[in-house]
Amino acid sequence: MKENAVHIELLDQQYFASQYRFMMPSPDLAPHVLFYWMLDLRHSDLQQDEYQELLLANMYSSLVLNLGAPFDIYDREQHCLHVCAGSEVIGYHAAPVSYHHRSNNFLVGIKFKPASLNYLFRIRGTDIYQQVLPAADVLHHIRQLESAVYDAKELPAIKALLEDFLRQHTTLPVDRHSAYVLQSLNGPALQQCGYQLKKLASLLYLSPRTLERYFSDLLGISPKKCLSIIRFREAATQYALHGYKADWEELGYHDFSHFRKEWKKQFI
């Protein structure tokens, strides 16, 4: 789990990457939770004062419990976008950002599958697209969760607290539009459509215009942009595993040079 989750996100930070701990969700929450994680830098033996974490464009929103020192979020030009001093909901973003961590960071988080945070907590995508929200502003009982997690001693206990919170304080609204968006981003239709909007809409028996409206209502971003982000992340993962020999056509690219052009667009 650790290798797959972190390989693409953390670049040239082998020691820093080893500080992360991951927990898989229970079966009833697996449709919405990618994994739980913890980063504990409250040690006296850290090798340096600051650690940088590069995150690619992504559709995975997170709930981050900040129980230690602040951390900073920077854009690709290294301009500070935000200082995270408390627990926050961190939205999806369409371009790479870097997190700058310091000693005494103690973070616990839930990384949600695409659109699931919006669906579970009824948070509009436009409110968290490329930005953050104080968790206390949108999630009830977050302070009790922070206290309980801080006092927990072991990873299984932390996972139990996070899952109890999700089960007690999220709702599963009967929303057919949201269900289509979730199916688009997390279901078999995503793998079958070749990351093409028209084919995806056809597989869901919708028109492209209708699917665009559903995405706009829930996420505030077009399905074409969502598919582009997910395609790029999957291709980057496959490139890390297989190099230029990855199956580029299956990933929605013409060839390796097509992927390289998109990589340069993201990072240069």
Side-chain angles (χ1 to χ4, degrees):
M1 171 62 201
K2 176 183 170 183
E3 181 180 354
N4 293 337
V6 180
H7 190 77
I8 288 300
E9 300 289 17
L10 303 177
L11 304 181
D12 302 322
Q13 291 287 355
Q14 295 301 318
Y15 179 80
F16 176 50
S18 69
Q19 302 303 310
Y20 270 94
R21 298 293 181 269
F22 295 93
M23 300 161 277
M24 295 298 293
S26 297
D28 63 313
L29 293 170
H32 295 291
V33 174
L34 196 63
F35 54 79
Y36 312 102
W37 56 267
M38 181 176 74
L39 175 65
D40 190 351
L41 299 180
R42 299 173 299 170
H43 308 294
S44 59
D45 60 343
L46 292 180
Q47 299 176 357
Q48 58 196 74
D49 295 329
E50 182 178 285
Y51 296 84
Q52 296 185 23
E53 173 185 9
L54 178 66
L55 289 92
L56 303 181
N58 74 77
M59 289 299 299
Y60 304 119
S61 299
S62 298
L63 167 61
V64 177
L65 304 181
N66 190 341
L67 308 174
F71 67 93
D72 308 323
I73 302 178
Y74 286 77
D75 64 15
R76 73 177 82 193
E77 285 80 30
Q78 291 303 299
H79 298 138
C80 185
L81 302 174
H82 182 70
V83 177
C84 296
S87 297
E88 295 180 328
V89 173
I90 299 181
Y92 50 91
H93 52 89
V97 296
S98 61
Y99 290 1
H100 292 201
H101 300 277
R102 306 180 187 90
S103 299
N104 294 319
N105 270 169
F106 179 31
L107 307 172
V108 174
I110 305 173
K111 181 163 281 193
F112 293 92
K113 291 185 177 181
S116 282
L117 182 144
N118 311 77
Y119 179 68
L120 294 173
F121 294 105
R122 302 198 179 201
I123 298 175
R124 287 186 56 82
T126 50
D127 294 332
I128 60 171
Y129 177 49
Q130 300 196 159
Q131 58 185 321
V132 301
L133 287 175
D137 288 356
V138 292
L139 305 179
H140 298 300
H141 310 293
I142 193 68
R143 299 305 182 203
Q144 295 94 314
L145 177 63
E146 289 174 333
S147 297
V149 168
Y150 188 85
D151 292 336
K153 303 301 182 183
E154 304 290 341
L155 285 176
I158 291 176
K159 173 183 173 178
L161 290 168
L162 296 176
E163 296 205 319
D164 286 346
F165 177 82
L166 290 177
R167 293 185 182 109
Q168 293 176 26
H169 302 297
T170 60
T171 58
L172 294 176
V174 181
D175 184 343
R176 185 168 59 90
H177 298 182
S178 298
Y180 276 117
V181 174
L182 292 170
Q183 186 178 356
S184 297
L185 299 178
N186 301 304
L190 177 62
Q191 285 72 42
Q192 297 170 14
C193 72
Y195 302 94
Q196 298 177 25
L197 173 59
K198 289 184 178 180
K199 190 171 182 180
L200 175 62
S202 177
L203 289 170
L204 298 175
Y205 301 100
L206 298 172
S207 70
R209 185 181 296 273
T210 297
L211 191 57
E212 287 176 350
R213 178 163 53 86
Y214 292 171
F215 269 75
S216 178
D217 289 345
L218 183 66
L219 297 179
I221 185 174
S222 71
K224 186 175 181 180
K225 184 65 176 179
C226 292
L227 293 175
S228 175
I229 292 172
I230 293 173
R231 179 183 72 169
F232 172 72
R233 286 184 59 86
E234 178 59 25
T237 300
Q238 292 303 312
Y239 176 65
L241 294 173
H242 306 293
Y244 71 92
K245 295 182 179 180
D247 191 338
W248 301 107
E249 289 189 6
E250 183 176 329
L251 293 165
Y253 292 92
H254 301 309
D255 50 28
F256 176 57
S257 63
H258 185 194
F259 168 69
R260 286 186 61 191
K261 288 180 181 178
E262 184 159 341
W263 181 279
K264 290 180 179 179
K265 187 189 305 181
Q266 291 286 348
F267 287 100
I268 299 178

